[in-house]
Amino acid sequence: MTYRNLSSCLIDLERNGHLIRIDTEVDARLELAAIQRRAFRAKAPAMLFTRVKGCRFPMVANLYGTRDRIRFIFRDTLRAVEGIFRLKIDPFDLFRHPQRYLGVPRSLWGMMPRTVRRGPVLECRTTVRELPQLVSWPMDGGGYVTLPQVYTESPDRPGFMHSNMGMYRVQLTGDHYEPDREVGLHYQIHRGIGYHHAEALRRGEPLRVNIFVGGPPAMTVAAVMPLPEGIAEVLFAGALGGFRIPMIRRAGGLPILAEADFCISGTIAPHQKPEGPFGDHLGYYSLAHDFPVLRVDAVHHRRDAVWPFTTVGRPPQEDTVFGEFIHELTAALVPQVFAGVHEVHAVDAAGVHPLLLAVGSERYVPYAGERQPQELITCGMALLGNTQTSLSKYVIIGAREDDHDLSAHDIPAFFTHMLERTDFSRDLHFITRTTIDTLDYTGISLNQGSKVVWAAAGSRRRDLADTLPETLTLPDGFGSPRLFHKGIVVLRGPRHTARRDEHDPAMERLAQSLDDVRGLSGVPLFVVVDDADFTAADWDNFLWVTFTRSDPATDLYGVGASTHCKHWGCRGPLIVDARLKSFHAPALETDPEVERRVDALAAPGGPLHGYL
């Protein structure tokens, strides 16, 4: 079944047990977000809230909360979309297995949007303040749209073929915005809307923007799809939806999604205003920074409009399922996009962009007596130079030739493989003073920090210890060492007090102290944290703390470290400073009173009992 709008999807989900209605009044400020996060963790059905405090529009949560539900929503088109990707890899498979591709022609036909003169979205008008004002975390700066489809077209080449649609966060209300006249538009670096904005600025024209909320589920998924530059998201939506997406084309304006539930139309103003704070998907707040402002011309909605929403925070959250679904569709394309790379894993537990694990080939000098990373370094640099993998901070890549069973998705085994083979005097390759993810506060400024490619190839160099070395001693201020995993020591460090963009003398003191300790060859990685017990509790905690709280150039130290011809390395263990820094954004914490209210809703006799 294909869903041409959100309401048909909700009706079908409810009919098939994938959605429940909640008629109890709930609050869009913090309460709904707390419910949604619990619903996701419990793998609960989607939830339609029919009575939202102070708002006349119903809201729906957890719509994409499980992979099974996403596959159910796209059950009639998914095989055809998978066939399109498979044909890109091997066009001749069509002749070998024609039965696999029966739905492909229809999907290809559905890719081009259909221009119409009217649609349900234009039935009614409202104002920004009357829209649902979702506040997900206590320090959020206002109400936000969390599942937006932000649509723009190239000013130089207007039309669907050169359009962009992304899920860029939208702040509806806040102290800095004129009520009903302005909304904040936060888009990060390496986003397609930025190219359109640059064209508009060069031409001296305002950039027109339409923000759709709701509508065909295929449009929501397309908005988060990391498509190559030059492939319009609205085309992919047509293939995934199984029909030509109807778009209303009006003279002098951008196309409007005919079946959207809501549409905010406007132009980007020539000035910026502070946007934020916002509790983001790394598990910390994005603080207030100047971002573009959208001058609102109109807010339209259909008569039966429903406002879909999600919340983000420390992974896993609902956006984790989006990532898994995208990986499922595109994993086979990786070798096509990155020559020599067999598998990539943007690690969700580490916030996606901070950590990318990869398996590549090492074939440059097959006759060498001692194999070392060469092709792997090329692969790592390619990953940092293309598509969304270019936002990665740590790229850790191993060679398939060393272990044909090596998988970037088996994280414990992958780290064991790397630590057994790495020569830290040779195998770390830094890029400093470069662009990093806008949401990452570990760098030297907003959008600026460092990256590292850690590549290892060849035979095993060491046996990893499975107990703490008896000889381990630590300087004052450091303690509570834990052997988290074979070869990995987690320990508590003193509170960070250094300034941004400088090394910490306390960490250098630790490295010097460890240089005097014998028997550390089996523990090549030390991670210094604020809470050793929390970090060492499980892999999710370890990955989140280690890679969201460190900048490679600033926060990597080493025993016996040296720099030779601008190449940094160390002959002893590598040390990662993964403490919260004095300049980091605060981590997300829930409101205890709100959590108690949700507890009551989930208690026996409550409307959410049995679901949360």
Side-chain angles (χ1 to χ4, degrees), residues 103-126:
V104 168
R106 180 179 177 180
S107 291
L108 293 174
W109 173 83
M111 290 181 73
M112 182 55 66
R114 178 168 58 93
T115 300
V116 297
R117 289 194 290 180
R118 60 181 64 89
V121 70
L122 297 181
E123 290 173 338
C124 307
R125 293 188 68 153
T126 188

Side-chain angles (χ1 to χ4, degrees), residues 254-266:
L254 275 182
I256 295 175
L257 176 60
E259 292 286 350
D261 286 70
F262 300 86
C263 177
I264 304 170
S265 300

Side-chain angles (χ1 to χ4, degrees), residues 45-364:
M47 294 182 174
L48 179 63
F49 300 93
T50 60
R51 293 176 56 204
V52 180
K53 184 178 180 180
C55 179
R56 60 192 175 92
F57 297 106
M59 299 175 69
V60 65
N62 207 36
L63 191 59
Y64 308 99
T66 69
R67 196 186 307 188
D68 285 345
R69 187 147 60 247
I70 286 190
R71 293 190 69 87
F72 178 83
I73 290 171
F74 300 110
R75 61 193 181 278
D76 289 341
T77 58
L78 196 54
R79 185 176 181 185
V81 173
E82 291 170 342
I84 292 172
F85 286 129
R86 194 182 301 116
L87 285 176
K88 179 174 175 58
I89 299 168
D90 182 7
F92 291 101
D93 195 53
L94 173 64
F95 301 102
R96 293 191 293 267
H97 305 287
Q99 71 281 0
R100 292 180 178 176
Y101 303 98
L102 298 179
V104 168
R106 180 179 177 180
S107 291
L108 293 174
W109 173 83
M111 290 181 73
M112 182 55 66
R114 178 168 58 93
T115 300
V116 297
R117 289 194 290 180
R118 60 181 64 89
V121 70
L122 297 181
E123 290 173 338
C124 307
R125 293 188 68 153
T126 188
T127 64
V128 171
R129 280 182 290 186
E130 290 180 321
L131 295 173
Q133 304 292 321
L134 180 77
V135 178
S136 299
W137 296 96
M139 287 174 53
D140 281 3
Y144 277 86
V145 188
T146 56
L147 285 177
Q149 307 153 36
V150 181
Y151 181 87
T152 57
E153 290 185 354
S154 165
D156 289 343
R157 296 174 294 175
F160 297 127
M161 298 303 293
H162 300 287
S163 65
N164 174 259
M165 188 173 66
M167 196 166 282
Y168 315 124
R169 79 177 186 234
V170 177
Q171 184 172 349
L172 295 174
T173 56
D175 294 340
H176 302 285
Y177 303 121
E178 293 182 39
D180 293 329
R181 296 294 309 279
E182 295 179 332
V183 299
L185 185 57
H186 175 120
Y187 67 81
Q188 300 149 247
I189 61 170
H190 201 291
R191 297 297 191 264
I193 189 176
Y195 307 137
H196 291 172
H197 196 184
E199 289 178 8
L201 291 172
R202 176 176 49 77
R203 295 164 64 98
E205 301 173 356
L207 181 67
R208 294 185 178 276
V209 179
N210 281 339
I211 301 168
F212 312 131
V213 181
M219 288 286 280
T220 299
V221 174
V224 298
M225 195 74 185
L227 298 172
E229 186 178 349
I231 298 180
E233 289 79 9
V234 70
L235 305 186
F236 175 80
L240 185 61
F243 61 95
R244 298 176 65 190
I245 302 294
M247 302 288 283
I248 305 166
R249 177 75 74 172
R250 299 194 296 179
L254 275 182
I256 295 175
L257 176 60
E259 292 286 350
D261 286 70
F262 300 86
C263 177
I264 304 170
S265 300
T267 56
I268 293 183
H271 58 274
Q272 293 82 45
K273 287 189 174 183
E275 183 271 349
F278 179 75
D280 227 314
H281 75 264
L282 291 184
Y284 310 90
Y285 284 98
S286 293
L287 302 180
H289 298 283
D290 286 348
F291 277 96
V293 176
L294 185 74
R295 296 288 295 181
V296 177
D297 296 328
V299 182
H300 291 95
H301 67 90
R302 58 191 302 147
R303 292 187 189 280
D304 57 348
V306 176
W307 185 272
F309 74 94
T310 189
T311 60
V312 292
R314 181 191 161 184
Q317 301 288 349
E318 189 173 4
D319 57 344
T320 299
V321 181
F322 280 128
E324 292 171 349
F325 182 65
I326 290 168
H327 175 77
E328 187 178 327
L329 287 177
T330 62
L333 292 176
V334 168
Q336 292 267 314
V337 179
F338 304 106
V341 179
H342 305 288
E343 182 187 20
V344 296
H345 180 195
V347 180
D348 181 71
V352 181
H353 291 319
L355 177 62
L356 182 74
L357 307 182
V359 177
S361 284
E362 187 51 68
R363 304 164 297 187
Y364 277 4

